Amino acid sequence: MEYEKIKKHILNLLKEKLPEHLSYHSVNHIKDVIESVEQIAVAEKVNDEDLLLLKTAALFHDTGFLYGSKNHEEKSCEIAQEYLPEYGYSQPQIDKISGMIMATKIPQTPNNNLEEILADADLDYLGRDDFFVIGDKLFEELSMFGIVNSEQDWNLLQEKFLESHHYFTETAINSRRDKKQDNLNIIKTKLKND
């Protein structure tokens, strides 16, 4: 598996072709998810091959945004199917990667540990100190799409999302749950004061 080669190719493709109005679903998000995948996978004691598959799934998981936001996970799987055979990935490996990509679809329904790791990595920021910085980028993007129209709408959406979200891996639960709760409490306070 020529991960470094495909990573370079896909990141360049995304830099060139992703719509500029995607302030959240950007190259930075992809890099962030790859980094989170590595941290969670190491803590979950994933073997080397599975770690490469996870990093590849993280690399591809939002490539579907090149064709729009609707069903982007399915599109991301198609893009992975198209590119990965040329980079030494077998069909069973590509199928595993597709399963991981589909596990990031909201609401998340991972079916195994690798899918749980990618699902957790994709939303790792919910339980981090940079939650509001990253959240602002998503707010900007959703406003552009007309999904939210005010900060009040946004805070209500975030409150609902954070209350329904849960991490799957022991690693993410232990390292992110408390901070996620803190972030939710800040949002609740904002809503109370509005």
Side-chain angles (χ1 to χ4, degrees), residues 79-98:
I79 296 167
Q81 286 283 7
E82 183 188 329
Y83 280 96
L84 290 174
E86 295 168 44
Y87 289 85
Y89 288 76
S90 69
Q91 195 54 53
Q93 289 170 327
I94 297 168
D95 293 342
K96 255 181 161 176
I97 288 166
S98 294

Side-chain angles (χ1 to χ4, degrees), residues 7-33:
K7 180 181 173 187
K8 195 174 169 186
H9 180 74
I10 293 297
L11 289 178
N12 282 335
L13 180 72
L14 293 171
K15 270 182 205 140
E16 283 169 30
K17 301 262 196 284
L18 266 183
E20 279 180 27
H21 61 256
L22 295 177
S23 43
Y24 173 81
H25 290 101
S26 62
V27 172
N28 285 338
H29 170 66
I30 303 285
K31 288 178 175 172
D32 184 59
V33 175

Side-chain angles (χ1 to χ4, degrees), residues 73-131:
E73 295 89 358
E74 287 86 347
K75 198 69 197 153
S76 298
C77 292
E78 288 172 26
I79 296 167
Q81 286 283 7
E82 183 188 329
Y83 280 96
L84 290 174
E86 295 168 44
Y87 289 85
Y89 288 76
S90 69
Q91 195 54 53
Q93 289 170 327
I94 297 168
D95 293 342
K96 255 181 161 176
I97 288 166
S98 294
M100 291 182 239
I101 292 170
M102 290 311 296
T104 65
K105 193 177 181 100
I106 306 293
Q108 296 177 321
T109 52
N111 299 309
N112 59 48
N113 186 239
L114 295 181
E115 292 179 10
E116 288 176 349
I117 291 170
L118 185 59
D120 284 352
D122 192 28
L123 295 175
D124 187 59
Y125 84 98
L126 297 179
R128 292 194 323 225
D129 293 332
D130 59 356
F131 169 73

Side-chain angles (χ1 to χ4, degrees), residues 135-175:
D136 286 347
K137 291 177 181 160
L138 186 55
F139 172 55
E140 199 180 302
E141 189 174 305
L142 295 177
S143 299
M144 212 277 317
F145 284 119
I147 295 166
V148 291
N149 299 311
S150 67
E151 201 173 319
Q152 170 86 357
D153 285 355
W154 170 237
N155 285 328
L156 286 166
L157 186 70
Q158 287 204 104
E159 177 185 41
K160 195 174 150 196
F161 188 72
L162 285 170
E163 283 177 340
S164 66
H165 170 267
H166 63 272
Y167 287 113
F168 298 97
T169 62
E170 209 174 303
T171 303
I173 292 166
N174 294 335
S175 65

